[in-house]
Amino acid sequence: MACAMIPLDEQQVTEAAGPLGKERTLPALHPDRKEERCFVTYKPPPEDSSPAQVEEYLEHGKFITEDLDWLLALRHDKFWCQVVFDESLQKCLDSYLRHSPRGLDPSSLPSSPAVADMQRCIHRAVFMTFLRMATHKESKESFITPTVFGEIIYNNFLFDIPKILDLCVLFGKGNAQLLHKMIENIFTQQPCYYGDLDEAVLSVLQVRNTILAKCGLQCEGATAIEPLKLSSSGRPTAMTMSQQDLVDLVLYLCDTCTTIQAFLDIFPAACSTFHCHSFLNRLASFYEVAVPDIEKAVRKRNFDDDSLQEDLWRRVCHARRRMVEMAHLLLLHTCLQPILEGSDINIPPPPFPPALDETRTSYLLQGVEDAWDSIGRRRTQDRPQQTHSSAGLTGQGVEVGAGAWGGEMGIREPGEGGETPRGAEAIAGELESLLTHIRDLLPDLGEGFLLACLHQYNYSSELVINYILEDRLHPDLDKLDRAMPRPVKEELPPVLSTRSNVFDDDEFDVFNRDQVDMTRVWKGRRKGESVRDLLNDKQHIAEQKERYLTYETVVDEVIVIPSESGAIDNLNDYDDEYDDTYDINQVGANDLDGDSNLLNRRPFTIPQVLRQGGRPQMQEENIEEEEDEKEDAVKRDQFVQDPALLRERAEARRATMQHRKGERDVVGKPKGQGQSTETLLDRRKKEAHKSRGANHNRRAMSDRKRNKGMIPS
């Protein structure tokens, strides 16, 4: 067994070996203690998403996740034996760093949810493995001597500069703080990585010169790689090189720019190494010379596939943005930040300091001030102060609790943007994810206590884990019970029980009734029902008839039935309090104003100007009354009158009324007796003006039909 409080590199273990079970003593880190297990290599997700390839990818990914989960569950000594001495494990991890899709790759957008879920599981398992590999101290009992840890990871190539760069590209988005701690601990425990980084910068600069040579370009101040032959027709350019060479050049440029920018953003301490090689000046020259030619070639060349041209253009734009961001990072961390912080870091002067022109200097400063004023000076956002020592990574390495090598410290999946949710913007799903991450690392803490910690530290799971492990929580949090459960939320009453509606408890209220008469519910017109049947339905008339029949009952005599006590109902009882003072008086009988006086008023007359015919109205009314009296007298004298006489009288009355109303006489005398001139004129006027009244244009339409042959002549 391993001794307590002894580093792993000094521990000795005694275990049985051989068929006879003979005990032997071995170092804790020994090849014989490695478990026999074969880790499969990683393959990227399929692009065509055929069922067979998807099934193969899912099965392959399941093997990788199961193997890595088994590895992460091992004890500290067993884990490091497997990491150091198992070559298949390193091949598996290297294959993921090499073939995992980047942001601009087509396979970065899985075609099915199952493939996306499996990719996230593999992504998380690989990151957790590298996170534990970068931690030399997991607890007070499980740790490795810092110097030995640096030798182990360096001599066994567990980490190198290309791996670190790939880690920054794949896991930097959303996990920048964790990666910063990992890389800082690696460079702190093994300073030899700074020398490897220096050589890597030289390699990057050499490759940039190769790209310029392939494009037939040369930066200012750089020496040519080889002299130009006199027999050559000219230098190759981005327009004349083969299509495959141009594609490879753009892909490499985009990949290197993205990788270096992510590394400098996560580990700013490396900016000084790049600055020593005048990387900023060379980057600016390369941007000015090479980028325009490459953009021109991508835009104007004819490609076999339009989608390829679009992809190359997108990558060129992406590389251009990353180069600008690299320049900003180098300026910030090597020039501006030391000045703003007032540190004693000596910034190396340029090799040939130029003579400063005061006019040019003032012009540049004025331009910077104008730029600030045009966009407004940004306020520094309030962020929680965090130093590297308080984050759990001191000069001695990563300090984490028991089993805290990985801790799911707010790990974000590939493709997820943004940082950990802050304050009220944290939705319920992300809050549950933060709680799950912390409880996987610290399962003995209650959810209520963790919620209070997250609220205190702006919902940053990394700060919560670090402060808990370092026992540096806020005094208010120390007073809380660490096993405090999550407060139970009061369930709101259901909406249906509190709703109020005018249709409550009616025959169609399905919320309060178990059964509803479905025969009275239909959609659209009821089947088998016509408009004629609806109109012939007189059921409502019968219902109203029964209602009004009750009003026909008239009771002339009310039969009084004695009550149970034998007394007579008080319908006819004498009322002693009735006041009969005015019963014998005829109220209003002796009034002076009678009905005749009230109605004896001046009758209404029409003004003479508005009368027709100039005859007074009273005379007309008297004439009509006299005629009516004569007719009544005639009717009284004779029971049956002569029909001819009746027709003459009717004709006379009609003529009088027409003359009184101003109407024309178009009937005239009977046929054969001749017509008067007035009758003929009236007929002519009626014929000419009859279109103003009903059946207008009858003559015109009749003529039109006759002309078209519709009516026989």
Side-chain angles (χ1 to χ4, degrees):
M1 297 297 294
C3 299
M5 304 300 293
I6 299 177
L8 181 62
D9 53 282
E10 298 179 5
Q11 292 181 11
Q12 300 287 330
V13 295
T14 303
E15 56 184 16
L20 300 178
K22 184 178 180 180
E23 294 184 352
R24 62 173 180 172
T25 302
L26 297 174
L29 288 176
H30 196 274
D32 294 342
R33 301 194 65 207
K34 175 180 69 71
E35 298 290 340
E36 295 297 332
R37 197 177 187 95
C38 181
F39 292 83
V40 297
T41 57
Y42 170 80
K43 294 181 179 179
E47 296 183 4
D48 56 355
S49 67
S50 62
Q53 292 186 355
V54 170
E55 183 179 0
E56 180 184 1
Y57 172 78
L58 295 178
E59 183 178 6
H60 201 80
K62 184 178 180 182
F63 292 153
I64 296 177
T65 54
E66 289 178 352
D67 291 341
L68 294 181
D69 290 341
W70 170 83
L71 175 67
L72 294 172
L74 294 177
R75 296 196 318 266
H76 184 252
D77 55 340
K78 285 286 187 179
F79 172 81
W80 278 103
C81 289
Q82 204 73 28
V83 168
V84 174
F85 303 111
D86 193 342
E87 295 182 359
S88 63
L89 172 61
Q90 297 303 321
K91 292 180 180 180
C92 174
L93 298 176
D94 292 347
S95 65
Y96 183 81
L97 296 180
R98 184 180 299 110
H99 300 294
S100 179
R102 270 62 173 173
L104 295 177
D105 295 340
S107 57
S108 62
L109 300 175
S111 56
S112 64
V115 174
D117 293 339
M118 181 57 66
Q119 179 65 22
R120 282 194 291 267
C121 293
I122 300 175
H123 185 85
R124 174 184 173 277
V126 172
F127 181 70
M128 298 295 292
T129 303
F130 278 110
L131 183 60
R132 191 175 185 184
M133 289 168 55
T135 306
H136 74 281
K137 185 175 183 180
E138 297 181 3
S139 65
K140 295 181 179 179
E141 295 81 11
S142 302
F143 64 96
I144 304 176
T145 305
T147 55
V148 177
F149 170 78
E151 294 176 359
I152 290 174
I153 62 175
Y154 190 78
N155 296 333
N156 294 280
F157 298 97
L158 301 184
F159 289 98
D160 53 25
I161 298 301
K163 286 184 180 180
I164 294 174
L165 296 177
D166 289 333
L167 286 173
C168 293
V169 173
L170 293 176
F171 305 102
K173 198 172 185 179
N175 301 289
Q177 295 183 0
L178 283 176
L179 276 175
H180 174 78
K181 299 174 188 177
M182 290 172 52
I183 299 174
E184 185 181 32
N185 187 55
I186 292 172
F187 277 83
T188 301
Q189 308 307 330
Q190 183 52 266
C192 294
Y193 283 108
Y194 282 105
D196 295 346
L197 178 62
D198 189 77
E199 296 179 0
V201 174
L202 293 176
S203 300
V204 171
L205 294 175
Q206 183 178 359
V207 172
R208 293 287 174 87
N209 293 333
T210 304
I211 294 176
L212 291 173
K214 285 184 173 294
C215 296
L217 303 172
Q218 184 176 353
C219 290
E220 183 179 355
T223 58
I225 299 178
E226 59 181 7
L228 183 63
K229 297 181 180 180
L230 297 177
S231 60
S232 61
S233 58
R235 293 185 179 183
T237 62
M239 293 292 295
T240 59
M241 69 174 59
S242 64
Q243 178 177 317
Q244 187 60 41
D245 290 344
L246 179 61
V247 171
D248 294 341
L249 187 148
V250 173
L251 293 178
Y252 180 81
L253 180 63
C254 178
D255 183 66
T256 54
C257 292
T258 304
T259 303
I260 296 175
Q261 186 273 334
F263 176 66
L264 295 179
D265 187 25
I266 293 172
F267 189 56
C271 292
S272 59
T273 303
F274 282 80
H275 184 71
C276 293
H277 294 278
S278 300
F279 187 84
L280 180 59
N281 296 335
R282 298 188 181 185
L283 178 65
S285 300
F286 179 86
Y287 185 94
E288 182 180 2
V289 174
V291 172
D293 281 12
I294 297 175
E295 288 181 347
K296 179 181 177 181
V298 173
R299 285 199 311 265
K300 295 186 176 182
R301 286 189 56 162
N302 296 325
F303 291 86
D304 299 336
D305 188 3
D306 292 339
S307 60
L308 176 61
Q309 185 177 14
E310 294 177 0
D311 180 67
L312 293 179
W313 176 253
R314 186 167 58 253
R315 291 178 182 273
V316 169
C317 296
H318 183 77
R320 185 178 57 188
R321 289 194 300 269
R322 293 297 176 263
M323 282 190 279
V324 174
E325 292 174 1
M326 276 191 286
H328 291 172
L329 290 172
L330 292 172
L331 285 174
L332 174 63
H333 295 290
T334 60
C335 300
L336 300 179
Q337 198 69 26
I339 297 175
L340 296 176
E341 294 179 354
S343 60
D344 296 333
I345 300 177
N346 294 323
I347 304 175
F352 301 99
L356 294 179
D357 187 355
E358 185 175 355
T359 304
R360 181 177 297 178
T361 304
S362 60
Y363 173 76
L364 294 175
L365 292 177
Q366 185 64 33
V368 173
E369 290 293 336
D370 294 342
W372 274 105
D373 295 337
S374 63
I375 62 174
R377 297 180 181 271
R378 302 175 182 176
R379 292 186 304 172
T380 303
Q381 299 180 355
D382 296 334
R383 296 183 179 178
Q385 298 296 329
Q386 175 186 1
T387 59
H388 300 316
S389 60
S390 63
L393 273 171
T394 61
Q396 299 299 323
V398 183
E399 297 282 350
V400 291
W405 36 267
E408 300 179 12
M409 304 180 184
I411 299 173
R412 305 295 287 253
E413 304 299 342
E416 297 182 3
E419 297 294 334
T420 307
R422 295 291 185 263
E425 297 179 358
I427 60 177
E430 294 185 353
L431 184 60
E432 293 295 333
S433 177
L434 294 176
L435 288 175
T436 303
H437 291 163
I438 301 176
R439 283 183 60 82
D440 288 345
L441 178 60
L442 305 170
D444 56 328
L445 301 180
E447 292 186 358
F449 176 73
L450 294 179
L451 284 174
C453 295
L454 287 172
H455 181 71
Q456 178 67 30
Y457 296 111
N458 295 330
Y459 293 88
S460 174
S461 58
E462 299 177 1
L463 294 179
V464 172
I465 293 173
N466 289 327
Y467 289 150
I468 291 176
L469 296 177
E470 295 178 1
D471 198 14
R472 296 193 303 104
L473 289 174
H474 193 273
D476 295 338
L477 298 176
D478 286 335
K479 299 177 183 178
L480 299 177
D481 182 11
R482 299 205 170 193
M484 180 176 62
R486 177 185 290 191
V488 180
K489 295 182 179 180
E490 296 182 0
E491 296 184 358
L492 298 176
V495 180
L496 294 179
S497 62
T498 57
R499 74 186 183 105
S500 178
N501 197 285
V502 295
F503 302 106
D504 287 347
D505 299 326
D506 62 0
E507 57 179 331
F508 301 110
D509 190 1
V510 295
F511 300 109
N512 297 326
R513 290 179 177 269
D514 296 333
Q515 296 180 354
V516 178
D517 186 8
M518 299 303 298
T519 60
R520 301 196 58 192
V521 180
W522 65 88
K523 183 179 181 180
R525 176 179 292 181
R526 182 184 296 182
K527 295 182 180 179
E529 189 177 80
S530 62
V531 178
R532 186 178 299 278
D533 296 337
L534 181 63
L535 295 176
N536 293 335
D537 186 8
K538 306 300 181 181
Q539 182 181 359
H540 64 286
I541 299 178
E543 295 176 356
Q544 296 295 330
K545 186 176 181 181
E546 294 178 359
R547 176 180 178 183
Y548 286 101
L549 282 176
T550 57
Y551 295 99
E552 295 181 359
T553 304
V554 179
V555 180
D556 297 334
E557 183 179 357
V558 178
I559 301 175
V560 179
I561 302 175
S563 60
E564 296 180 357
S565 61
I568 304 300
D569 294 336
N570 58 354
L571 294 176
N572 297 323
D573 289 350
Y574 171 74
D575 188 4
D576 191 33
E577 297 180 357
Y578 178 73
D579 188 4
D580 56 356
T581 304
Y582 301 98
D583 287 354
I584 61 175
N585 296 332
Q586 296 182 4
V587 179
N590 299 325
D591 292 343
L592 297 177
D593 296 333
D595 296 340
S596 61
N597 294 331
L598 296 175
L599 299 177
N600 189 13
R601 296 179 180 177
R602 180 180 178 182
F604 175 77
T605 59
I606 300 176
Q608 195 170 13
V609 179
L610 301 178
R611 297 175 187 173
Q612 295 181 358
R615 181 181 297 176
Q617 185 178 4
M618 294 298 296
Q619 297 178 3
E620 294 178 0
E621 294 178 354
N622 295 335
I623 294 173
E624 293 178 359
E625 292 178 358
E626 292 176 357
E627 292 178 354
D628 294 339
E629 290 177 357
K630 292 179 180 180
E631 292 178 0
D632 294 340
V634 172
K635 292 179 181 178
R636 286 194 299 270
D637 295 339
Q638 299 178 2
F639 180 75
V640 178
Q641 296 183 2
D642 185 8
L645 182 60
L646 293 176
R647 286 194 295 270
E648 291 178 359
R649 292 178 180 177
E651 183 66 24
R653 287 196 301 270
R654 188 178 63 80
T656 302
M657 295 298 295
Q658 288 180 351
H659 179 72
R660 186 183 305 164
K661 296 180 179 179
E663 297 182 358
R664 301 183 181 90
D665 182 15
V666 295
V667 178
K669 298 179 181 180
K671 188 175 182 182
Q673 298 181 6
Q675 304 296 335
S676 63
T677 305
E678 295 180 356
T679 301
L680 296 176
L681 292 175
D682 290 342
R683 288 180 179 179
R684 188 179 303 172
K685 291 180 180 179
K686 181 180 179 181
E687 183 70 19
H689 300 286
K690 66 181 180 180
S691 61
R692 294 186 295 105
N695 298 326
H696 55 83
N697 295 330
R698 184 170 56 186
R699 171 61 64 86
M701 296 302 296
S702 177
D703 295 341
R704 181 182 179 185
K705 291 180 180 180
R706 185 177 293 105
N707 295 334
K708 290 186 177 182
M710 301 173 63
I711 300 177
S713 301

